[in-house]
């Protein structure tokens, strides 16, 4: 599923981690090395998610009680791993293009979408 990078219905449970590193300057020599990614749930992110979801549910005209219940459930639920591009355009890393805020992964205006491979039929 693809989401606009400003869509508030998609929140992060952990700090972003590098999943794949492709260097186009040496693409002919590209050899994907096995990478191990560890995602650690962050209590402050879960709390922030709950608040963001509550506000989103209220904007959708859900009553306060129902919005609070839904926000508590969705603020800590897991649907999939959010993926988005970050381009580094020079060898020194001084010129970059970020589709989400770097390094936090927070929402921002971008022409690139966040991709969310769904991991389960129902969020867990």
């Amino acid at each position: 599923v693809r989401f606009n990078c400003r869509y508030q219905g998609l929140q992060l449970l952990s700090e972003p981690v590098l999943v794949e590193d492709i260097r186009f300057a040496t693409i002919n020599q590209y050899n994907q090395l096995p990478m191990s990614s560890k995602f650690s749930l962050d209590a402050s992110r879960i709390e922030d998610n709950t608040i963001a979801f509550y506000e989103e549910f209220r904007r959708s005209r859900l009553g306060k009680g129902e919005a609070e219940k839904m926000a508590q459930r969705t603020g800590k639920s897991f649907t999939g791993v959010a993926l988005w591009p970050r381009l580094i355009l020079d060898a020194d890393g001084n010129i970059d293009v970020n589709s989400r805020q770097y390094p936090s992964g927070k929402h921002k205006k971008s022409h690139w979408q966040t991709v969310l491979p769904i991991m389960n039929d129902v969020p867990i």
Side-chain angles (χ1 to χ4, degrees):
V1 179
R2 295 179 184 270
F3 291 95
N4 181 306
C5 284
R6 291 183 292 176
Y7 176 61
Q8 295 295 314
L10 179 64
Q11 301 291 332
L12 306 178
L13 293 172
S14 76
E15 291 297 315
V17 298
L18 178 66
V19 175
E20 185 175 34
D21 186 5
I22 301 171
R23 298 173 188 268
F24 289 98
T26 56
I27 196 70
N28 292 334
Q29 301 161 4
Y30 180 70
N31 183 12
Q32 177 62 39
L33 301 173
M35 295 183 78
S36 175
S37 298
K38 179 181 179 181
F39 299 93
S40 300
L41 299 184
D42 183 303
S44 64
R45 279 187 179 268
I46 292 171
E47 185 177 326
D48 291 345
N49 292 351
T50 303
I51 293 167
F53 283 128
Y54 175 79
E55 291 169 355
E56 193 70 16
F57 292 140
R58 290 294 290 148
R59 273 192 290 277
S60 299
R61 303 186 195 275
L62 210 57
K64 286 183 180 180
E66 188 64 22
E68 191 170 316
K69 279 195 290 188
M70 291 288 292
Q72 289 296 323
R73 285 197 304 246
T74 56
K76 58 186 173 194
S77 66
F78 173 79
T79 303
V81 177
L83 304 167
W84 62 89
R86 176 172 188 251
L87 302 178
I88 301 170
L89 302 175
D90 67 330
D92 298 328
N94 295 323
I95 303 171
D96 59 357
V97 179
N98 295 292
S99 60
R100 293 179 76 100
Q101 292 181 27
Y102 180 81
S104 68
K106 290 184 179 180
H107 303 88
K108 69 173 254 175
K109 184 177 181 177
S110 174
H111 293 289
W112 288 327
Q113 296 175 324
T114 299
V115 177
L116 183 73
I118 305 296
M119 301 300 207
N120 199 32
D121 292 345
V122 177
I124 53 174

